Every structure is written in C-alpha cells, then in structure tokens.
Amino acid sequence: MEEKTNFRSTTFDATCQTILSRQPEAIGVAFKFLDCGCSMLCGVSAQGDALGELIHVSGQPAKKGKKPPICFICKKDSGLDRVVWEGIHWPGDESELPDKELRVAIGRNVFGPAYIEPDA
C-alpha cells in the first residue's frame, strides 16, 4: 500500500521507528497530518488502543544539524481541529501487513466508525 509521500519525511519515519521500539506491543503508528504540515503520532495496539503519548512532529523545515523549529500554528492550538489526513502507518513491507479486515477494524477503534482504508 503506497502512502501519500508528500507528507512523509525523515523525521516522520524516525518518529514511527522510535514509537515502535519504545512500545513493543504496538503493531502500527496512528497519525494525523495537520494543515500546517505537522503531524501527531502515537503507537496503536492490535486492539486499537493508543499506546504512549501523542507525539508532535514539526512540519517546519529544519536547518542542517538543528532541530525543526516550533510551529507557531500548533503552539496556539492542539491542531486536532486542523486534520487533513489520518491513518495508520504499518511497519514492514506489504507482505507483512495484517489482513485488511483487521487493519480497518483497528482503524475504526482508533478513529471511529467512519474510518476506511483507501485502496492502493
């Protein structure tokens, strides 16, 4: 399943890997991309429970060797009213993904009954 690469970044991928390594019971990472380019992430269990804290990943470009700057839009609010895309990042390649039925069931536990998983 191909993901929308315009939202993917090295920081996003690194944060996903950090979440998965710190939360061994996590089978994926739930994300919400915001209209400012930032994202909010947390681990998700096989039952669709959130694991760990919600982590903010700045969408602001970092200067070489420095941390990404603070997003002033996110500093004003939680960002959850500005979500433009949400889903679950599944680690591994397509052959390692849980069945689509399970992925959708987990997504509905995380995001609500209207959650769907777009076809690749």
Side-chain angles (χ1 to χ4, degrees):
M1 178 171 72
E2 189 176 353
E3 295 190 33
K4 295 182 181 182
T5 56
N6 57 326
F7 286 106
R8 298 292 301 272
S9 69
T10 303
T11 306
F12 176 86
D13 288 331
T15 303
C16 286
Q17 290 306 312
T18 299
I19 289 170
L20 292 167
S21 66
R22 288 185 183 166
Q23 302 289 337
E25 61 276 15
I27 65 164
V29 177
F31 62 82
K32 292 181 179 270
F33 285 113
L34 310 178
D35 61 359
C36 59
C38 296
S39 57
M40 306 294 284
L41 298 91
C42 76
V44 63
S45 74
Q47 295 75 35
D49 298 322
L51 301 170
E53 297 178 13
L54 196 58
I55 298 173
H56 177 268
V57 176
S58 178
Q60 305 303 310
K63 294 189 179 175
K64 190 172 183 172
K66 297 192 178 195
K67 291 179 12 181
I70 295 169
C71 174
F72 291 111
I73 298 169
C74 287
K75 192 169 180 162
K76 291 180 182 180
D77 65 19
S78 70
L80 296 178
D81 291 332
R82 299 182 289 105
V83 175
V84 295
W85 182 40
E86 62 187 13
I88 299 177
H89 166 77
W90 303 102
D93 62 30
E94 195 163 330
S95 68
E96 299 173 282
L97 294 177
D99 289 338
K100 183 171 183 171
E101 197 172 291
L102 177 60
R103 295 192 314 261
V104 171
I106 291 169
R108 288 181 178 159
N109 284 342
V110 173
F111 300 112
Y115 177 81
I116 60 168
E117 188 174 276
D119 292 326

